[in-house]
Every structure is written in structure tokens, then in C-alpha cells.
């Protein structure tokens, strides 16, 4: 397979269809294709096809010019809640992931052609990596002349530091693939001070023989490493300017933009990073002079402003929000407005997650799973334009997805099987039917609260709703001792492999503050199946992941599947270069410009 007509070294693996799906997956989405769910799901399969790991020729910059692009001007960015984290090591939520595309760089990155084809290229590295020893050893060489915003040249020492700081206790909210692959599930014990002291990871694990070379040594084959390193959570943090916990407030940029000004919770201004060299970057552009983020702008207000298309709104975009569900018809019925939208099927599964430490009675969990009203929840997201009913915990973008697997009859009765739910609850004590539901204080969160209260009230559940700050929602429910019984969460594969769904959110090793196992499921059978699948070749592993999925949903039931999300975003008439990003599942923010 070729990419951009450049010769490439291809390793067919699973395509990264969208890194993360946490607070950013509000998914007020749709478009004309949203009327036909079967068609949408068929198109979603395009996101699960093979990806190439590209060579040095494809990894060189500058990135291919966007047709009609012009330099200059400021893009206004509308966003309802603040950015969750800005320390790369803490980034595992889609709002921060989008921001990362402008600020940070890693060893590798995803490159896409706008037609659904995605490849991995070298970002700071000269290529997507060279594997040896049956994919147990990976070697990367740094490009010449890559500097941070202060003009400091990036060396292998910075890469080592970036990896080792992930072992520190203050890094708790980001991905853990690399750390656990290198040092096991108790990786923090291997380097308790996170490399800030005199101890470092041994050369048998992480080797930096010179300023330009990085070698990773694993005890098992890790063919997905180039995709893993392309995640925002593994972007480089220069050693000299690392301020530990304070880094989250003012990180140092390597990308085309840097932080110019921050007003906490109100605004963020990104300006050009003069030390970014386009010759070293095969993906990003630096067309506009600045991005002005305005926080606290609700999705309904964003949509109104962008429909009106007046003043600064002509130069504005939605960031991780989408078209407000009550205004979708207004958007799609006006051709001039509808042409200013981007649309696509996201890889996220929205689910009502149960805190198993508190909701211990499976009859209660099963009753809620039968009784919850997916139809009303999706109506709040835009109806057919907002998403599809989810019959299970795997998304249509995942290889091997089975659209017919529906153990709780969600497709037949999307509004809920009230009688079945009541039957399961008839002998349950009243105390066990009073449950605390946490929801984010956003417009979308309010709609979901109303839908949950209404549906569960009909089956006899006494719902006590508790409002949580939207910007820190996942941080709050990510505390093991959180005071909530259930919460709506969303997850999308880090790349299309069930390993990046089952392992992060259903692995008992991921129970801990800041980790992504929000249900706290810790089941011996699940652990056995995870460990088995991780050692198998893809074809056999797929069968094991299927077995694990069915066991989790039917025998444990840590989360009720609700809906699959779609994306539908709006931008101003003076914004050029806008297109859907298969990798981020939002607008491709790396190629935007102003037409005048």
C-alpha cells in the first residue's frame, strides 16, 4: 500500500481510529449520513483497516501544503469546559489531545490523507521506528535540528526523561501502555522517583547510546509501539524545563504553537512557536498567527454564533464540542451552513458505568441495563444525527465488531424494557435501589441527567444526582474512593484493537486513582483472558477478546452500553482547510487557515 505516492515500509496492523474518548465525547453529532445507521456503521469499518509504518522519506517535512492556504490571522476557538491537562504525561482526554496537536510532538505521529487512510510517520524520529528481535526491540533515531520553544535542541536524554517521569506519582491521568510494557503493572516500583534522582531505567529496558538514538527493549513482541508513541500522552517533555507538578500549568512547546497567555477557566491564547521548523514536521502547519480559546461557551451558544456567522465567528471553530442538538435541523436545512460542517463516525462507546465497590448487587446492574432509555439519551445528542443505540461495549470502528451481539435486547427495546427491569428489582431492598449518579455541569451533562432520572425512576430506582465540574469530571470519578454509584463515561480505542478497550477499562491492574478502570472491575476470569490474548497472534487474540467481552458484559456487567457517537461540528465561513480527522475524530486542527 502506498501513502501520498511515497514509497513506504508497510506493516499491516490495526488503525488508530481515535485516541481517547473521555470528557471530549459529548458527540452532539450527525449529518446527512446520520439518518442511516447501517450505512454509518459500514463507513465506520473504514476506520479499522490496516495502517502503514512509513520510512524516512515519508517522515520528512514540510507537510504537504493545504490547497488555497494563506498565512496570518487569528482563529477563535469555542469550548464549553476548560482543558483537562496540559502536561503531556497527563493527557488521556480528547480535549487535551486536540490541544496537543498544536503544542507538542512525540517520536512518532499519525498522518492522514482525508480519505480515511492513516499511517504512522516519524515525528521527532527519522521514521516510524525499526523493529528487531521479533518486535521486542525498537530503535528510533532523532531528526536533526528539532528544538523546543526556548531553542534547546532535543536529544535522547529528553526522550529518556519523558519516559522515566511517567513513573512518578504525580503522573496519574495519562496512558500506561509504555510503562507497563517496559516494567510491568507495578511499574512505579521500578523507578519510584520518576528519574528525577540518580537512578534511571537500566539499558536492558531503555537505552540511549548517543544523543540521537533511543532503543526500547521489551520482554514480549510489541508491534503496536509506533502507534502507542504517537499518542499525545507520550509527547516529549524537555528535561531542562520540567517543573514536575507545575508543568501542567505552563508546558514547553515543540509544535508549531506555544502558550502565549492563560486566564484559568476563561481563555487561552496560542501564538507561533518561532523555534518550530516545518522542515522537520511531516504533519503540521503554522498558517495562522494565533488561536484564541474562549472557555465557558456552551454548545448552544457556539452553534448560534456559528450559524449567524458574524464578526469573529466567521473565523471561529468548535473544538471538541458539536452542533447543539436543538439546532441540528437549522444547520442541515440551510445549504450554506451545512457546507460549513465536518462529519464522521467516532470510535466511542458511551456507557453507564457502575461503581462495583458500591453497586454490588448484579440484579440491580442488570435491571438498570434493561431499563435505561438509550433513545432519550440519543435524542439529547441530536437523535439520528447524534448517535446509534449501542447493544454492546465494542464500537463499530473496532475490528471484529458484531452488530448482532445484544444480550440485553437494547436494539429491540431502545427505550428500555421496563417490565424486565422491575422483575429483576422486585426482591431488592429499597436501600440498594437508592443510587448516586454523577454528571458533569455542562449542557450535555444536564440533558443526560434528566434522561437517566426519568428512565430509572420508571423501574423503581431512586436516583440522587450529583453535579461535578465538567473540566475535572474524569479526575473526580477516577478516584477509587469516589462517592458515586454510577456515571456516564465514554471510551474509544487507542487504536483498533480490542486490547486498547478491554485492557484499559476492564483490567484489574487498572484499578487505582487516576486510572481508567472506572467500574473497579477486578475479576480473575477477565484477567486470565486478558493475559491470554496479549500473548496471542491477532487472529487467535480476536477470539479471546470476544470471549472476554461477552463474559464482562453478561457475567459481570460493570457498565450498561448506551450509544455509539458520531461527530458533527461547525466552523465559520472564513476558515479554510477544515476536514474530519479519522485519527482524532474531530476537526483536523493541524491544517486550518483563514481565507482572508
Amino acid at each position: 500500500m502506498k501513502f501520498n505516492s511515497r514509497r513506504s515500509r508497510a506493516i499491516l496492523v490495526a488503525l488508530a481510529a481515535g485516541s481517547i474518548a473521555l470528557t471530549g465525547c459529548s458527540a452532539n453529532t450527525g449529518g446527512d449520513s446520520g439518518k442511516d445507521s447501517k450505512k454509518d456503521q459500514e463507513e465506520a469499518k473504514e476506520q479499522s483497516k490496516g495502517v502503514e509504518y512509513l520510512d524516512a522519506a515519508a517522515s520528512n517535512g514540510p507537510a504537504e501544503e493545504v490547497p488555497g492556504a494563506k498565512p496570518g490571522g487569528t482563529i477563535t476557538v469555542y469550548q464549553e469546559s476548560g482543558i483537562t491537562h496540559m502536561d503531556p504525561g497527563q493527557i488521556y482526554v480528547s480535549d487535551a489531545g486536540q490541544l496537543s496537536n498544536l503544542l507538542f510532538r512525540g517520536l512518532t505521529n499519525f498522518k492522514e490523507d482525508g480519505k480515511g487512510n492513516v499511517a504512522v510517520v516519524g515525528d521527532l524520529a527519522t521514521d516510524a521506528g525499526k523493529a528487531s528481535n521479533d518486535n521486542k526491540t525498537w530503535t528510533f533515531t532523532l531528526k536533526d535540528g528539532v528544538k523546543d520553544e526556548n531553542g534547546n535542541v532535543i536529544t535522547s536524554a529528553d526522550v529518556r526523561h519523558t519516559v522515566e517521569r511517567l513513573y512518578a506519582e504525580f503522573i496519574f491521568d495519562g496512558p500506561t501502555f509504555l510503562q507497563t510494557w517496559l516494567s510491568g503493572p507495578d511499574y512505579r516500583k521500578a523507578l519510584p522517583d520518576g528519574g528525577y534522582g540518580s537512578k534511571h531505567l537500566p539499558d536492558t529496558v531503555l537505552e540511549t547510546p548517543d544523543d540521537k538514538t533511543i532503543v526500547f527493549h521489551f520482554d514480549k513482541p510489541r508491534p503496536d509501539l509506533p502507534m502507542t508513541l504517537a499518542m499525545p500522552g507520550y509527547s516529549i517533555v524537555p528535561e531542562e524545563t520540567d517543573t514536575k507538578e507545575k508543568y501542567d500549568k505552563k508546558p514547553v512547546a515543540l509544535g508549531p504553537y506555544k502558550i502565549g497567555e492563560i486566564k484559568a477557566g476563561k481563555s487561552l491564547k496560542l501564538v507561533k512557536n518561532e523555534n518550530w521548523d516545518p522542515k522537520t514536521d511531516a504533519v503540521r502547519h503554522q498558517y495562522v498567527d494565533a488561536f484564541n480559546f474562549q472557555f465557558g461557551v456552551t454548545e448552544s451558544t457556539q452553534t448560534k454564533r456559528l450559524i449567524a456567522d458574524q464578526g469573529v465567528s466567521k473565523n471561529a471553530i468548535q473544538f471538541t464540542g458539536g452542533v447543539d442538538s436543538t439546532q441540528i435541523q437549522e444547520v442541515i436545512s440551510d445549504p450554506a451552513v451545512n457546507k460549513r460542517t465536518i462529519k464522521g463516525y467516532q470510535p466511542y462507546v458511551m456507557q453507564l458505568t457502575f461503581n462495583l465497590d458500591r453497586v454490588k448487587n448484579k440484579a440491580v446492574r442488570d435491571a438498570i441495563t434493561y431499563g435505561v432509555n438509550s433513545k432519550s439519551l440519543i435524542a439529547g445528542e441530536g437523535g439520528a444525527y447524534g448517535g446509534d443505540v449501542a447493544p454492546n461495549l465494542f464500537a463499530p470502528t473496532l475490528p471484529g465488531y458484531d452488530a448482532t451481539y445484544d444480550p440485553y435486547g437494547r436494539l429491540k427495546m431502545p427505550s428500555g424494557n421496563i417490565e424486565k427491569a422491575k422483575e429483576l428489582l422486585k426482591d431488592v431492598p429499597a436501600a440498594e435501589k437508592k443510587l448516586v449518579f454523577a454528571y458533569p455541569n455542562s449542557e450535555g451533562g444536564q440533558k443526560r441527567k434528566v434522561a437517566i432520572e426519568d428512565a430509572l425512576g420508571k423501574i423503581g430506582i431512586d436516583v440522587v444526582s450529583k453535579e461535578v465540574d465538567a473540566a475535572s469530571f474524569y479526575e473526580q470519578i477516577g478516584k477509587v474512593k469516589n462517592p458515586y454509584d454510577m456515571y456516564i463515561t465514554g471510551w474509544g480505542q487507542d487504536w483498533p484493537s480490542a486490547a486498547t478497550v478491554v485492557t484499559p477499562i476492564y483490567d484489574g491492574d487498572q484499578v487505582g486513582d487516576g486510572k481508567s478502570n472506572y467500574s473497579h472491575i477486578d475479576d480473575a476470569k477477565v484477567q486470565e483472558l486478558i493475559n491470554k490474548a496479549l500473548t496471542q497472534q491477532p487472529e487467535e487474540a480476536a477470539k479471546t477478546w470476544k470471549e472476554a467481552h461477552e463474559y464482562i458484559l453478561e457475567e459481570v456487567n460493570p457498565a450498561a452500553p448506551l450509544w455509539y457517537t458520531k461527530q458533527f461540528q461547525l466552523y465559520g465561513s472564513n476558515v479554510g482547510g477544515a476536514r474530519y480527522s479519522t485519527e482524532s475524530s474531530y476537526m483536523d486542527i493541524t491544517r486550518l487557515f483563514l481565507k482572508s
Side-chain angles (χ1 to χ4, degrees), residues 435-458:
L435 301 177
V436 179
F437 171 66
Y439 69 97
N441 62 344
S442 62
E443 283 188 331
Q446 181 65 32
K447 292 176 184 177
R448 296 169 190 178
K449 164 188 172 289
V450 172
I452 291 294
E453 288 176 342
D454 179 66
L456 300 193
K458 290 178 180 177

Side-chain angles (χ1 to χ4, degrees), residues 28-32 35 299-309 318 322-343 382 385 567-572:
N28 293 320
T29 55
D32 293 337
K35 297 178 182 178
E299 288 190 335
S300 59
T301 300
Q302 293 175 28
T303 307
K304 287 176 184 176
R305 291 179 183 177
L306 289 166
I307 289 174
D309 197 39
Q318 292 186 299
V323 174
D324 173 55
S325 60
T326 64
Q327 299 174 71
I328 284 177
Q329 289 299 326
E330 187 176 354
V331 171
I332 63 175
S333 62
D334 187 333
V337 177
N338 194 34
K339 73 178 183 180
R340 296 190 281 111
T341 62
I342 63 102
K343 304 156 186 156
Y385 295 95
Q567 187 55 275
F568 189 19
Q569 292 185 301
L570 188 58
Y571 57 91

